[in-house]
Amino acid sequence: MKLCFIGGGNPLTGELNDVIKFISHHVKKDSKLLIIPFATEENRLDSWYNSAKKTFEDIGVSHLDILNQRLTSQEMQSKIKEHEVLYFTGGRPEKLMERLIDKELVTSIRGHSGLLIGVSAGALAFSKDCIITKDEDYPETLVIKGLGLVDFSVEVHYRDGMDEELIHLSEKRDIYAIQNGSGLFWDGEVMTPIISIIHFQKGNKKVID
């Protein structure tokens, strides 16, 4: 399994060009991609699909499907097995985790052998500790159980003003902060930043290029 954590950004404006270029080296052109939209609202599904379609068609991936929430758990598990790339949208990570658990998909995702791409909330959920830092949507910081695909945690939509809280949270876990337009690639052994990211560890901050 390979993982790509994307901090956020709009691919339609070119903001994610560097990330998409990097991903293109790890996606075969005949790959099948499945969008898992459980973090987002239903009225935003078309927007996420169109964004993913533009992104991946540009690098030669023409087969895109979206996981229909009305399918049974067994049908969803089969869909996951049929696709080489799983693409998790942004939105609310707690909603994503609730739906994955409710639909009994956690084991299927953990056992997937292909590439998993997470944008914003989708990226947060890959970690063991899924950290949701306070913002306009969350009055208090939450730490919930994630998928546990990696031991470290990530912060998305990173800005300098978040440092104080991230330094505190890093006393108990490693955190990689990813800004919009940037990403982090993990091949199971080696971590590669796509544009610089920030590593918070034991109360210390370090830029990784």
Side-chain angles (χ1 to χ4, degrees):
M1 176 192 294
K2 296 179 180 180
L3 304 174
C4 186
F5 303 78
I6 299 176
N10 186 351
L12 302 181
T13 65
E15 191 175 12
L16 287 171
N17 282 355
D18 290 318
V19 176
I20 294 165
K21 182 179 178 180
F22 187 96
I23 290 173
S24 70
H25 298 297
H26 298 273
V27 177
K28 294 180 180 178
K29 292 187 176 181
D30 58 349
S31 293
K32 295 180 179 179
L33 183 143
L34 180 65
I35 301 169
I36 299 180
F38 294 173
T40 195
E41 302 297 333
E42 191 166 352
N43 62 4
R44 297 202 62 206
L45 293 183
D46 287 344
S47 174
W48 275 105
Y49 179 83
N50 291 333
S51 174
K53 186 171 185 288
K54 172 66 168 62
T55 298
F56 291 98
E57 280 189 344
D58 283 351
I59 60 175
V61 177
S62 58
H63 178 102
L64 276 76
D65 197 2
I66 192 163
L67 193 58
N68 191 319
Q69 299 183 48
R70 296 175 180 83
L71 297 176
T72 66
S73 295
Q74 289 73 24
E75 289 170 333
M76 288 186 181
Q77 290 166 17
S78 295
K79 283 277 189 183
I80 288 171
K81 289 179 182 178
E82 292 168 3
H83 292 77
E84 292 85 8
V85 182
L86 304 181
Y87 179 88
F88 295 76
T89 69
R92 291 185 172 266
E94 78 280 13
K95 181 182 294 185
L96 170 60
M97 287 306 306
E98 287 171 5
R99 290 174 176 174
L100 292 178
I101 292 168
D102 182 58
K103 292 297 184 180
E104 301 176 341
L105 300 180
V106 173
T107 299
S108 295
I109 291 168
R110 287 176 177 165
H112 197 270
S113 60
L115 172 64
L116 276 61
I117 301 169
V119 180
S120 187
L124 293 178
F126 288 168
S127 303
K128 180 175 70 174
D129 288 346
C130 175
I131 301 173
I132 310 169
T133 49
K134 59 185 177 183
D135 58 17
E136 60 273 12
D137 295 318
Y138 297 92
E140 298 294 334
T141 293
L142 302 174
V143 180
I144 64 173
K145 184 178 180 181
L147 287 165
L149 306 180
V150 291
D151 288 333
F152 59 82
S153 296
V154 298
E155 170 68 14
V156 295
H157 308 297
Y158 169 71
R159 303 181 307 276
D160 287 340
M162 300 173 170
D163 285 4
E164 183 178 352
E165 184 170 17
L166 293 174
I167 285 171
H168 171 69
L169 290 165
S170 74
E171 295 288 354
K172 294 183 179 180
R173 60 187 68 79
D174 280 8
I175 303 172
Y176 293 90
I178 311 169
Q179 62 188 345
N180 283 4
S182 185
L184 175 66
F185 191 82
W186 173 251
D187 70 0
E189 295 182 3
V190 178
M191 182 183 301
T192 305
I194 311 169
I195 310 300
S196 62
I197 59 173
I198 311 295
H199 183 202
F200 291 88
Q201 183 183 44
K202 296 181 179 178
N204 296 309
K205 173 185 175 182
K206 180 182 179 181
V207 178
I208 301 177
D209 293 313

